[in-house]
Amino acid sequence: MITLNKELDGRILDIGGGGDGVIGRLYTNQVVAIDIRQDELDEAPIGFEKIVMDATHLEFNDNSFDHVTSFYTLMFMSAEEQKRAISEATRVLVKGGDLHIWDCDILSAYPEPFFVDVAVQLPNEHISTTYGVGKMDAQDETSITELCLNAGLVLVSQNRGKYGFYLRFKKEC
C-alpha cells in the first residue's frame, strides 16, 4: 500500500494527472494536472485544474511550480521522452523545488505488456488501480535516477516497496 498524506505546500504540476488523478485528489486546488490525452483528464475527478499538454514540451514559464509529481507516468514514455519530460520538469521547478516520482521497474513490456496493480491510501479515500503498458524501452529506479541527476537535480530520498519505487529530487540551482 502506498500511503500519501497532504505534505506539500505551494503549486504542484502533476504530469500524467488524468485517469485516477491521485495527486489531484489529494492536493485539489494546488494542482495543475497535465495529460497528453483528453479522455484521461475527463476520467479524473473534479477539484483541480486539468490541461491537455505534452510533458516533453511544457507550456509553462521557467520556475513556475514548487513541486512536480509523476505518479506512474514515466512508464508510459520511451527513454527519450522520459529524458525530455524530466528536463522540462526541472525547468519549470522553482529553485529549491522538488520532483516526486512514483514508478516501477519494467524489464520487459514487449511483446507481452507489463501490468502493475497499485493500492493507494489517501487520508479519506482508498484507490486500487492497475497500470499497464507495452513498450520497447526498459526502465528501472537506476535509469530514472540517472536521468534526473543528468538534468541537474539532486537525489534527496528514495524508497522501494511492493508497488515500485519513490524518488524525490531537489532543484538546487
Side-chain angles (χ1 to χ4, degrees):
M1 171 94 52
I2 298 171
T3 301
L4 298 178
N5 294 303
K6 197 168 181 177
E7 300 170 344
L8 306 180
D9 294 324
R11 287 187 76 201
I12 301 167
L13 173 61
D14 186 28
I15 296 173
D20 294 306
V22 172
I23 304 301
R25 288 178 194 227
L26 180 60
Y27 289 99
T28 60
N29 62 357
Q30 289 176 250
V31 172
V32 175
I34 65 159
D35 204 297
I36 200 164
R37 294 179 40 191
Q38 181 68 53
D39 61 319
E40 289 288 325
L41 292 170
D42 292 342
E43 284 181 29
I46 61 170
F48 54 95
E49 186 176 355
K50 303 177 220 173
I51 302 172
V52 174
M53 191 179 298
D54 184 343
T56 66
H57 297 93
L58 296 176
E59 299 170 22
F60 300 110
N61 292 331
D62 295 358
N63 311 307
S64 296
F65 293 92
D66 301 292
H67 301 275
V68 176
T69 59
S70 174
F71 194 84
Y72 291 86
T73 301
L74 293 175
M75 67 187 295
F76 294 98
M77 298 180 193
S78 69
E80 182 57 34
E81 289 168 328
Q82 289 175 346
K83 179 181 177 182
R84 291 195 318 256
I86 289 168
S87 175
E88 282 289 276
T90 302
R91 180 183 65 77
V92 301
L93 269 174
V94 298
K95 182 178 179 180
D98 294 327
L99 172 61
H100 306 264
I101 299 171
W102 295 263
D103 222 303
C104 54
D105 297 328
I106 302 174
L107 300 179
S108 175
Y110 184 83
E112 296 299 318
F114 172 85
F115 294 96
V116 61
D117 296 318
V118 177
V120 182
Q121 184 62 55
L122 301 178
N124 299 312
E125 185 176 13
H126 178 80
I127 302 166
S128 292
T129 191
T130 301
Y131 298 108
V133 65
K135 68 177 189 172
M136 299 296 284
D137 297 334
Q139 73 173 39
D140 60 19
E141 183 176 353
T142 301
S143 68
I144 301 300
T145 298
E146 286 178 17
L147 290 172
C148 293
L149 295 175
N150 289 339
L153 298 168
V154 175
L155 181 62
V156 174
S157 64
Q158 60 192 100
N159 188 12
R160 178 168 283 285
K162 175 182 177 183
Y163 302 106
F165 55 84
Y166 165 73
L167 302 169
R168 182 175 144 226
F169 296 89
K170 184 167 291 300
K171 179 179 177 179
E172 291 192 339
C173 53

